[in-house]
Amino acid sequence: MIRLVPMDETTFQFFITQSTRDYAEDKIKTGAWDAEIAMQLSKEAMSKYLPKGLHTEGAHLYSVVEEETGTQAGYIWFNVTEGHRSREAFIYDIYIFEPFQGKGYGKQALLALDEEARKMNVAKIGLHVFGQNTRAFELYKKMGYLVTDITMSKEL
């Protein structure tokens, strides 16, 4: 139903704009960043993890494409590094566009990612999910991801 297609430069420009904005908004929602500086901090984070954009070594950026129509249904970005005992991937962003949400595309994208990671001799995949994103959290649990750390806070 879907396949992962390496991003081209045009798609990457769309991705980086949306991902930067979404990350800033998520950080504001959690109370981690003030709205006035969130976009600047988000841009700095993106520059840190994608210093050469689409051509950053170890970064893998894909469009999630519906096979039947060729329509882009979302995107996924993960990096691969050498871990303590094996190669590890870390998902920095996965997003399924609204019209495609709730139809199994996220699950399919994660399964396709598993296949890509295996081809790269990756033995472990990690990710971060914001606490308020219960939909994604539930999907990750269904897909076999285990909680490895929990950070909590409260406003006084």
Side-chain angles (χ1 to χ4, degrees):
M1 189 147 43
I2 67 101
R3 70 184 193 289
L4 299 183
V5 176
M7 280 186 195
D8 59 21
E9 192 62 41
T10 301
T11 305
F12 176 77
Q13 291 307 315
F14 169 82
F15 155 79
I16 199 72
T17 299
Q18 181 171 340
S19 188
T20 302
R21 184 194 68 232
D22 289 350
Y23 188 56
E25 288 173 3
D26 284 336
K27 289 295 229 175
I28 292 167
K29 284 180 196 170
T30 66
W33 292 349
D34 291 327
E36 299 79 36
I37 61 167
M39 275 303 291
Q40 181 58 37
L41 293 173
S42 187
K43 287 177 183 176
E44 290 171 6
M46 293 297 175
S47 292
K48 176 181 175 183
Y49 292 107
L50 290 170
K52 295 183 180 175
L54 186 57
H55 308 290
T56 300
E57 186 176 339
H60 302 273
L61 297 115
Y62 293 92
S63 294
V64 175
V65 176
E66 190 177 47
E67 282 187 328
E68 193 174 297
T69 64
T71 304
Q72 184 178 357
Y75 52 77
I76 189 166
W77 161 33
F78 64 96
N79 284 12
V80 175
T81 58
E82 294 298 327
H84 297 292
R85 291 175 281 211
S86 61
R87 290 173 59 84
E88 298 178 2
F90 190 87
I91 301 170
Y92 280 95
D93 199 359
I94 178 171
Y95 186 75
I96 303 301
F97 301 142
E98 235 174 270
F100 300 95
Q101 291 178 7
K103 298 178 181 177
Y105 289 90
K107 179 180 179 180
Q108 291 177 50
L110 289 170
L111 289 171
L113 167 63
D114 289 351
E115 289 306 310
E116 287 297 314
R118 282 186 190 100
K119 291 176 191 173
M120 297 175 192
N121 295 316
V122 168
K124 180 180 179 181
I125 302 174
L127 58 83
H128 168 270
V129 61
F130 285 103
Q132 77 271 10
N133 195 345
T134 54
R135 185 180 197 179
F137 181 76
E138 292 302 320
L139 171 63
Y140 300 143
K141 285 193 328 188
K142 284 180 191 175
M143 299 301 296
Y145 289 82
L146 302 174
V147 175
T148 57
D149 187 75
I150 296 177
T151 301
M152 300 172 73
S153 67
K154 77 175 188 176
E155 294 291 325
L156 299 178

